[in-house]
Amino acid sequence: MIQNQLIIRDEKNNPLKLKALRMANYVRAQFIEAISEKQELYYLFYYESEFLTAKKVTKLRRHSLIERAFKNGLTFQAPHPFIHLLSTSNPSSKIINNKQLLRKLNQHFSKQEKAYILTFFESFISKKQLFNEIKDMFYEDRRGGQLFSAYRLIRIMKDFAPNHSLVKSLSSDLIYKDFAKMYYDRTKELFQEDLIEAEKIMFHELNTYGEKLSNQLEIDHRWLELVMWRSLQLKASPEPHVFEFLQFTLKQHFSEHESISVLEQLAQDVTYSPLQEHLFSKYLETNQVDKVSQLLKQNQHLLSPQDLDQISQTLSEKTPSELNIPIESLQILLIQVLKQRHDLAENLLHKYIGDLLTKHELSTIHKWLEPFREVCGELKVIEKFDRIYQMSEDLDHMQSLGELYYEFKQWKQALECFSMESELKPDEAKPLKWLSKTYLELGMKDESDAYQKMYIQIQKQA
């Protein structure tokens, strides 16, 4: 089960427990919306899946990048494997203040990346302050003659504050006209030289640039974002090559458990038989028989002869406690096996009826066995259970009932029956003999020997 609990460190390095609500992936940025134990709302900020910081929300600015991300990006409601993978890939997440954030951006990111990341925080840092930070970087580049680098910052300011007079003035400056034309024409050079702007275009026009975006994510080794995009592709167009790409990425860069959790989530959103078959195969490999049964419930045609053999072997070799599955799931599995393998019916049902007797009412087991009567016909093991069901309240048949419980290895119930039979018929040797046998099965040798002596004594008197 995917958890939606997060733990990060606050500015004093104390653990802060959060419950994830939802997540958005939007043009290199990821945002997790979460709530604290005090019901305070937080946003966790990531860039290319790397944790930046977190902020407690007082008021979210309208038309902010976060708002656009949750409106126009890829969004996922918690609990979700993508939220879990993003948080667990950043185990040392700690909230830092604004000065520390600026220092981190200066140390680890280019000017363009820093400018873009700063726009994430307009609900938490003064928009004027953010704009001035980007503007200062722009003038620094322009003074240094780095006109293309300066123009890339103009593009970020244009997205961030399109109505600002300086932005309007700079956007129309003829010194940048060749760059402006390159962006307008969406030239090859644009996609090579301004990766952030290019990714904005690709992200918003996935039908046209989807494969180009996938290639860029792969080049950048942004595997989680690539899996998100491949999953979206499969939902929109469930085709073999899309599924193969997704499988390959998961296998190469994620654990088997992580891969299965992603595919399980996807299977809830899209009906695609190769996906179901792949999960079915994985569940069989890892003996997750409960999940096998759930898929069989949805699609019985998944079961191949080889799968049938593997399930049969698992049911035969594993103890009920090792399988640890609900009786409904067990019923589905057994029915599928016994439809084809009648020779296994007596042994398998004997084994699992015995286990059910320790956990469930007789009426529940009686109802659970109904479909097996149709699938398997007359079976001795079902006949024996039916006798238990019929005699359970009949004091005249305590001995027979006890022997049936003994056969199903239900030692406690057998003891109760033999003890009651011995009380009702104190001169009878038979219940004493069975009490001795049952105590021996329980490893209670002293009690077994005592009843054996009583049995021999009554036999001599007879």
Side-chain angles (χ1 to χ4, degrees):
M1 182 179 177
I2 304 162
Q3 299 297 318
N4 61 339
Q5 299 298 318
L6 312 172
I7 299 180
I8 62 174
R9 295 277 171 178
D10 64 17
E11 291 186 49
K12 296 181 179 179
N13 212 37
N14 297 316
L16 175 62
K17 294 182 181 179
L18 300 171
K19 179 181 179 182
L21 301 176
R22 56 179 181 157
M23 167 187 162
N25 179 61
Y26 182 78
V27 191
R28 300 190 173 206
Q30 295 80 40
F31 306 100
I32 295 179
E33 186 180 82
I35 193 166
S36 72
E37 293 175 312
K38 296 179 180 179
Q39 300 301 300
E40 298 166 318
L41 190 63
Y42 281 81
Y43 280 101
L44 282 64
F45 295 81
Y46 300 80
Y47 181 75
E48 295 185 353
S49 302
E50 180 185 337
F51 182 78
L52 298 171
T53 189
K55 295 286 187 181
K56 185 165 64 174
V57 181
T58 52
K59 185 179 181 181
L60 200 62
R61 185 185 289 271
R62 290 193 63 194
H63 309 300
S64 64
L65 191 142
I66 289 181
E67 185 181 89
R68 294 201 305 275
F70 280 100
K71 183 178 180 181
N72 302 318
L74 308 182
T75 58
F76 311 98
Q77 299 296 318
H80 196 285
F82 292 150
I83 299 175
H84 180 71
L85 288 171
L86 181 61
S87 62
T88 54
S89 66
N90 290 270
S92 302
S93 301
K94 183 179 183 300
I95 297 176
I96 55 178
N97 61 36
N98 294 341
K99 286 185 179 180
Q100 292 169 320
L101 176 63
L102 284 172
R103 193 181 308 125
K104 181 176 183 177
L105 298 183
N106 286 328
Q107 291 173 347
H108 299 288
F109 300 97
S110 68
K111 285 181 181 177
Q112 187 190 22
E113 288 177 313
K114 175 186 172 183
Y116 178 54
I117 292 169
L118 287 174
T119 67
F120 300 176
F121 296 94
E122 64 178 296
S123 294
F124 308 93
I125 303 174
S126 160
K127 187 162 186 174
K128 182 179 179 180
Q129 181 184 346
L130 294 172
F131 185 84
N132 287 337
E133 282 283 343
I134 302 170
K135 182 182 69 173
D136 290 346
M137 288 189 288
F138 161 76
Y139 281 123
E140 183 180 342
D141 278 349
R142 194 169 78 166
R143 284 193 300 271
Q146 300 178 56
L147 295 184
F148 184 48
S149 180
Y151 186 73
R152 287 187 299 193
L153 294 172
I154 291 174
R155 301 293 302 196
I156 289 175
M157 288 191 286
K158 190 174 181 180
D159 281 346
F160 183 54
N163 298 319
H164 195 286
S165 58
L166 176 63
V167 174
K168 289 182 177 180
S169 172
L170 291 173
S171 297
S172 59
D173 193 327
L174 292 178
I175 197 174
Y176 303 113
K177 66 177 182 178
D178 290 339
F179 301 133
K181 187 176 188 304
M182 181 178 74
Y183 282 72
Y184 181 80
D185 293 339
R186 296 184 177 180
T187 64
K188 182 179 179 181
E189 186 181 4
L190 165 64
F191 283 90
Q192 291 175 339
E193 301 297 332
D194 189 343
L195 298 181
I196 290 179
E197 185 70 22
E199 192 159 325
K200 288 180 183 178
I201 295 169
M202 292 186 289
F203 193 90
H204 290 293
E205 299 180 32
L206 289 173
N207 289 336
T208 304
Y209 296 103
E211 283 309 309
K212 199 174 185 68
L213 176 59
S214 295
N215 292 336
Q216 189 60 53
L217 294 174
E218 192 166 354
I219 290 169
D220 294 343
H221 296 176
R222 290 154 58 191
W223 307 119
L224 179 56
E225 293 172 77
L226 181 58
V227 168
M228 291 181 196
W229 162 231
R230 291 296 189 197
S231 298
L232 177 67
Q233 272 187 304
L234 192 67
K235 285 184 192 179
S237 180
E239 296 177 0
H241 75 280
V242 178
F243 185 49
E244 287 169 11
F245 282 138
L246 175 61
Q247 280 182 279
F248 180 79
T249 306
L250 287 169
K251 185 175 181 179
Q252 292 294 112
H253 305 289
F254 296 88
S255 71
E256 186 168 65
H257 174 75
E258 291 168 341
S259 300
I260 288 176
S261 69
V262 169
L263 295 176
E264 284 176 331
Q265 182 66 45
L266 192 55
Q268 295 180 25
D269 303 325
V270 61
T271 302
Y272 183 56
S273 57
L275 171 58
Q276 311 288 338
E277 290 164 7
H278 178 78
L279 280 173
F280 188 79
S281 175
K282 287 296 180 185
Y283 293 154
L284 282 174
E285 287 176 17
T286 53
N287 282 324
Q288 297 185 66
V289 289
D290 187 22
K291 292 182 177 179
V292 168
S293 71
Q294 292 308 308
L295 281 181
L296 282 175
K297 190 176 182 180
Q298 300 166 20
N299 184 357
Q300 296 182 8
H301 300 295
L302 288 172
L303 200 59
S304 69
Q306 293 79 13
D307 297 334
L308 181 69
D309 289 341
Q310 189 165 347
I311 294 173
S312 302
Q313 185 176 353
T314 299
L315 290 173
S316 299
E317 294 178 353
K318 296 286 184 179
T319 65
S321 59
E322 286 175 328
L323 292 178
N324 190 29
I325 61 174
I327 60 172
E328 297 82 5
S329 300
L330 177 62
Q331 185 188 63
I332 292 169
L333 287 174
L334 284 169
I335 287 173
Q336 291 303 313
V337 168
L338 298 184
K339 278 181 179 178
Q340 306 296 324
R341 295 291 306 274
H342 294 285
D343 57 306
L344 298 176
E346 290 285 358
N347 287 337
L348 283 179
L349 284 177
H350 188 280
K351 172 181 177 178
Y352 288 102
I353 288 173
D355 180 66
L356 295 177
L357 283 167
T358 65
K359 303 172 183 175
H360 298 281
E361 298 289 335
L362 293 176
S363 57
T364 301
I365 303 171
H366 188 264
K367 185 177 180 180
W368 182 84
L369 282 170
E370 284 304 317
F372 294 98
R373 302 176 195 278
E374 181 179 343
V375 170
C376 305
E378 293 185 6
L379 290 175
K380 290 181 180 178
V381 66
I382 294 180
E383 180 186 335
K384 288 174 181 176
F385 172 79
D386 287 342
R387 288 172 61 199
I388 291 177
Y389 183 69
Q390 293 159 5
M391 294 189 298
S392 59
E393 302 297 332
D394 189 346
L395 295 179
D396 292 335
H397 295 90
M398 285 295 104
Q399 181 63 35
S400 298
L401 185 60
E403 290 177 23
L404 287 167
Y405 275 126
Y406 183 94
E407 187 173 339
F408 282 107
K409 298 183 179 181
Q410 301 306 298
W411 316 122
K412 182 180 178 181
Q413 292 97 318
L415 282 177
E416 290 175 357
C417 292
F418 297 140
S419 295
M420 188 171 293
E421 180 77 357
S422 183
E423 289 175 13
L424 293 171
K425 301 174 182 177
D427 298 328
E428 289 279 343
K430 191 174 184 180
L432 298 175
K433 176 184 176 181
W434 281 90
L435 280 166
S436 176
K437 288 177 62 175
T438 307
Y439 275 117
L440 191 62
E441 291 287 354
L442 287 167
M444 301 171 71
K445 193 172 185 306
D446 290 344
E447 288 83 351
S448 176
D449 289 345
Y451 279 104
Q452 179 68 12
K453 290 176 182 177
M454 292 170 63
Y455 166 70
I456 293 171
Q457 187 176 357
I458 290 183
Q459 284 284 81
K460 288 179 180 179
Q461 295 172 356

